[in-house]
Amino acid sequence: MMRVEVDLPGRVRADLTAEAGEVVVVIGPNGAGKSTLLQAIAGLAPGRVSVEGEEWTDLDVPQRRVGYVFQDQSLFPHLTALDNVTFGPRARGRSRAAAEAVARDWLERFGIADLADRRPRELSGGQAQRVAIARALATDPAVLLLDEPFSGLDVSVQMALRLELGRHLRDFPGIALLVTHDAIDALTLADRVLVLDAGQVAQVGPPAEVAAEPRTPHVARLVGLNLVEDGRDLMAFTPDAVVVSLAEPVGSSRLRWHGPIGTVAPHGDAVRLLVHAGPDLLADVTPAAATELGLVPGLEVWLSAKATAVSRYGARDRPGQGGR
Amino acid sequence: MSTPRLGRAPAVLLVPAVVAVALLVVPLVTLALDTPWRTLPQHLGSEVVRQALAITALSSLLTVVACVVLGTPLAWLLARVDFRGRRVVRALVLVPLVLPPVVAGVALVTALGRRGLIGEHLPFSIPYTLTGVVLAHTFVSLPFYVLAVEGALRTHGASYDLVAATLGADRWTTFHRVTLPLALPGILAGCALAWARSLGEFGATITFAGNYPGTTQTMPSLIYVALSSDPAVARTLSLILLALSIGVLVLLRERWATPR
């Protein structure tokens, strides 16, 4: 089991426990402290860390058994792909031959054995990131830290690499922490999602639960849900459950809002509106309806939602979920 | 891409600029023109010139070695280790950069001369030896080297050091497997600077190590002596140093070894 407590006044105040074999995806807006959490585990930022009963807090960075995949492409530019992956096992005391065997094995597993002799600048973004992940795993770490490993890659490359990483993470016996700002990472890779917001843990839970009942506007936006505060409750509903009209809707539903249209953009085979209606809300309408109603930015519209289409849940974290 | 037409350069700026170029170039051109080319091989072959050439070559080479061995760790320390008084150390290290070389020579005599504070306790004598020449050259060249290498270490970010640390590398492993190879262009530039500085060193050398043909007489010292006795020899030797200096400049401009 790993236990991390990070308390950097004014920046991050978060704690986290994770079990071996677990993949925790850390999600949250920029500046929420996601990277700081990873850095604390690796010893690059201050924080209390213990892993499998071992106290890491006072260990130097090289003594901590972590594998770190950095956000920017951080392969050593003067070393070949093979030498990059060999570096870790060598630094941790393996013989040159043993380290190279380990490295070749990892390149093989990522399907890039034929690129072993290339230097980083001769690799594509996706290939370089595979080498970086192989390099992090080659030291047999207790904790694997991945800081936005797919950022800066083409969308198609991202998806292929995401699925591939998922396979490797299933076999990985240690704890994996992945920082992302992409909901799809959380949904495809996570056993558990940790939502950071303004340096605090806002929510922890299985990905399906976090996606269905987001507690922060950031996550709601990532999974494409409208999130409205209602007293001590939160209400989440999908944009296609929202009815758009020019006149105030009749009936007694409290679930109605009024405001100007912010943006109009195609979304799949529908038209997605962003309406500044007190809270910003998303609404999907058919293209025909959009034309008929003359929906353009600036137009004042009414939005309403059926109570049956809205999921309502407590705004506070339930006890025992590890949030603060 | 063409330069936008902003109008003619004003004479107020143009004239001083031309004067500046003339000031820098004309003496060098006259030196080249006035060199007795026909007698050049004969001058070069003379015993005293060959000795001075050899001492200059040897001492500048040893100076570069001393700079690499001592200066690289110092540059690393200044660039990578956050210790108390780092700013003070950096400032002190750079003093010889602006110090008049003759003052450097006097300082060396005070410290390491035969009656110097440290020198009088030494079982051997440093002044008026080749060791003294190298010491004086290193004293004035080291700051150039440290400055160049520290700059290279800083620009080739510390981020790779962090990566190496997360892979389990201690600082020595990181230094020789990551930091050093990445800073190599800066180290070569630093060598060129130190070598050029050593090549022309005169003030500190003649003050601390004297001007003995065959032991401590370097090219600049010989030129100084020859200028009054045999100006043709002085001009010949000067031309050789000019050629070497231009060579260093070209090497530096090509960055010697551009990172591949």
Side-chain angles (χ1 to χ4, degrees), chain A:
Chain A
M1 190 187 85
M2 175 176 79
R3 189 171 171 79
V4 188
E5 278 175 53
V6 183
D7 192 348
L8 292 172
R11 280 172 64 200
V12 191
R13 186 181 164 80
D15 59 22
L16 163 73
T17 55
E19 299 294 331
E22 199 176 12
V23 178
V24 179
V25 168
V26 183
I27 203 164
N30 283 338
K34 306 186 298 284
S35 296
T36 311
L37 189 65
L38 295 199
Q39 286 164 4
I41 295 169
L44 303 174
R48 302 193 57 78
V49 184
S50 70
V51 178
E52 308 299 346
E54 215 176 285
E55 187 60 35
W56 279 17
T57 308
D58 296 321
L59 290 185
D60 287 342
V61 177
Q63 268 93 53
R64 302 185 183 209
R65 287 182 45 223
V66 298
Y68 206 137
V69 178
F70 289 84
Q71 188 174 352
D72 45 0
Q73 308 257 312
S74 58
L75 294 177
F76 299 126
H78 63 296
L79 297 180
T80 62
L82 180 70
D83 286 342
N84 262 283
V85 183
T86 310
F87 189 94
R90 282 277 280 157
R92 292 192 190 275
R94 297 247 205 154
S95 73
R96 166 135 215 119
E100 248 179 45
V102 170
R104 283 195 192 280
D105 180 47
W106 274 107
L107 291 179
E108 191 84 46
R109 285 199 227 180
F110 276 88
I112 44 174
D114 52 325
L115 305 177
D117 296 327
R118 295 220 193 151
R119 281 174 204 275
R121 63 182 172 81
E122 300 162 335
L123 298 171
S124 72
Q127 291 166 342
Q129 208 52 325
R130 282 181 178 84
V131 177
I133 297 170
R135 180 175 69 172
L137 284 166
T139 55
D140 189 23
V143 185
L144 179 66
L145 306 166
L146 302 118
D147 194 352
E148 302 195 15
F150 312 121
S151 72
L153 300 177
D154 286 349
V155 177
S156 57
V157 177
Q158 277 190 22
M159 204 56 224
L161 193 56
R162 190 173 285 126
L163 296 173
E164 210 177 314
L165 179 65
R167 270 207 327 276
H168 293 289
L169 288 181
R170 266 202 301 282
D171 300 335
F172 178 63
I175 300 156
L177 251 78
L178 184 143
V179 160
T180 182
H181 51 226
D182 203 336
I184 189 119
D185 290 337
L187 296 170
T188 50
L189 299 170
D191 296 317
R192 208 145 52 98
V193 175
L194 180 106
V195 181
L196 277 182
D197 191 47
Q200 309 255 344
V201 177
Q203 189 174 8
V204 186
E209 184 190 297
V210 172
E213 300 188 350
R215 279 172 219 281
T216 63
H218 178 75
V219 174
R221 218 163 29 247
L222 287 179
V223 297
L225 284 180
N226 286 309
L227 185 68
V228 178
E229 246 178 275
D230 185 30
R232 297 186 55 172
D233 286 350
L234 288 172
M235 298 185 298
F237 49 96
T238 56
D240 63 1
V242 178
V243 177
V244 179
S245 59
L246 295 179
E248 184 168 359
V250 291
S252 59
S253 169
R254 287 194 305 116
L255 302 179
R256 52 187 174 182
W257 302 269
H258 180 247
I261 296 175
T263 59
V264 180
H267 185 82
D269 54 5
V271 173
R272 174 160 286 187
L273 312 178
L274 173 71
V275 181
H276 304 302
D280 281 0
L281 293 177
L282 299 173
D284 286 355
V285 297
T286 61
T291 314
E292 195 182 315
L293 294 173
L295 300 177
V296 290
L299 183 72
E300 298 268 340
V301 291
W302 283 88
L303 305 178
S304 57
K306 284 200 205 69
T308 50
V310 171
S311 110
R312 177 183 286 271
Y313 46 93
R316 300 298 304 278
D317 222 340
R318 268 165 282 177
Q321 284 203 308
R324 280 204 187 197

Side-chain angles (χ1 to χ4, degrees), chain B residues 125-147:
Chain B
S125 170
I126 298 175
Y128 313 111
T129 63
L130 184 67
T131 313
V133 175
V134 174
L135 204 67
H137 285 198
T138 306
F139 186 87
V140 295
S141 306
L142 197 53
F144 287 90
Y145 180 84
V146 170
L147 208 61

Side-chain angles (χ1 to χ4, degrees), chain A residues 62, chain B residues 67-83 86 89-90 93 142-143 145-162 164-165 169-183 186-187:
Chain B
C67 284
V68 171
V69 170
L70 302 175
T72 313
L74 175 58
W76 177 82
L77 204 68
L78 290 175
R80 288 290 198 276
V81 182
D82 202 8
F83 60 92
R86 170 158 74 166
V89 171
R90 186 188 288 114
V93 162
L142 197 53
Y145 180 84
V146 170
L147 208 61
V149 176
E150 194 202 344
L153 289 176
R154 284 185 185 281
T155 51
H156 272 95
S159 65
Y160 290 115
D161 285 28
L162 297 185
D170 57 31
R171 296 204 89 162
W172 170 243
T173 309
T174 304
F175 174 75
H176 74 88
R177 295 227 32 218
V178 177
T179 316
L180 210 53
L182 289 177
I187 288 174

